[in-house]
Amino acid sequence: MAVIPASMNPKLKELKLLLAEGMHQWSLLELALSHLFASQVGTKHPLAYIIWDSVISFDAKLSCLNAVLNFNLKDDDLKALWGRLGDRIQKANSLRNQLAHSGYLSNSKDVYLVPYLSVAAIVTKPKEIKRLKENDLKIREETFKALVSATQWFSIVANPGSQPDSKDVLKAPDLITELRGLIFQTPVKPKRHGR
């Protein structure tokens, strides 16, 4: 396979735009998570955002948020919902990392994005290289966008200062509806009562 500079391929511009939009949606997700964290910490002062921003690793940020939510949330349905949503966000982080640590390759017919691009992989395992095309990037963008919407909704309904019935009034995004369905489909082991 002859590799030509990606800049010579006309599809490169579209791929770059899709990559940029996917990463933009991810940044909106991180912003929504910071708002959720701040609302749960209970301060309108920038201190909550300062704390959030001082944590560098995304995994560590999510771990902090999980701890705060586990402490604050009293509603079992909201706890279960956050469990599912948090898991989806964690899984989506690997998709984000594929985009953030990728490079462009092209041949005479196509251009694609290669997650974790390395010369060693190109030379030793060229057929095993994962190739992301336009549709792969569109799927990631839509995934991140759905997570942004779901996180914003969750931030409102889980806010300790919100109205008690706000989670029923505010229309849930599609992803929240899907996650709720998964929660109620999951078999629950009956609790054993003491003898």
Side-chain angles (χ1 to χ4, degrees):
M1 169 175 92
V3 176
I4 61 170
S7 61
M8 295 173 65
N9 193 306
K11 291 184 179 180
L12 179 62
K13 185 175 183 178
E14 180 183 358
L15 207 58
K16 283 184 175 182
L17 289 172
L18 289 168
L19 174 62
E21 188 54 36
M23 292 306 294
H24 173 68
Q25 289 302 321
W26 184 264
S27 71
L28 293 178
L29 176 59
E30 288 202 31
L31 188 61
L33 290 168
S34 75
H35 293 319
L36 175 57
F37 179 80
S39 73
Q40 292 297 312
V41 171
T43 179
K44 293 183 181 181
H45 191 271
L47 181 60
Y49 295 102
I50 292 168
I51 293 168
W52 178 264
D53 289 342
S54 70
V55 178
I56 304 302
S57 141
F58 182 77
D59 289 337
K61 286 183 181 200
L62 205 52
S63 180
C64 287
L65 181 57
N66 285 335
V68 169
L69 288 169
N70 189 44
F71 179 80
N72 277 358
L73 294 178
K74 305 303 180 220
D75 182 297
D76 288 339
D77 289 344
L78 281 178
K79 281 184 180 181
L81 188 56
W82 173 252
R84 295 287 182 155
L85 181 55
D87 287 348
R88 287 280 178 101
I89 291 168
Q90 185 64 54
K91 288 176 185 170
N93 188 39
S94 67
L95 298 176
R96 174 261 177 216
N97 289 341
Q98 287 179 358
L99 298 182
H101 304 285
S102 62
Y104 300 102
L105 281 183
S106 68
N107 55 34
S108 58
K109 298 176 189 169
D110 211 356
V111 64
Y112 40 89
L113 201 60
V114 178
Y116 312 107
L117 180 64
S118 75
V119 174
I122 294 170
V123 173
T124 61
K125 302 175 188 176
K127 293 186 182 198
E128 295 176 27
I129 293 174
K130 184 174 187 165
R131 294 166 170 85
L132 302 178
K133 293 190 176 186
E134 291 89 353
N135 194 50
D136 299 311
L137 297 180
K138 288 176 185 174
I139 290 169
R140 282 158 174 75
E141 177 190 343
E142 290 303 315
T143 298
F144 300 162
K145 199 179 285 189
L147 289 170
V148 169
S149 177
T151 302
Q152 290 170 334
W153 179 89
F154 190 86
S155 186
I156 293 167
V157 301
N159 185 334
S162 68
Q163 300 295 326
D165 61 350
S166 65
K167 68 181 176 184
D168 299 322
V169 175
L170 187 63
K171 183 177 179 338
D174 291 342
L175 180 58
I176 293 293
T177 304
E178 176 189 335
L179 293 174
R180 279 182 171 159
L182 290 173
I183 291 167
F184 295 117
Q185 289 175 5
T186 305
V188 177
K189 293 181 182 177
K191 292 182 182 178
R192 300 185 92 189
H193 297 286
R195 295 180 181 196

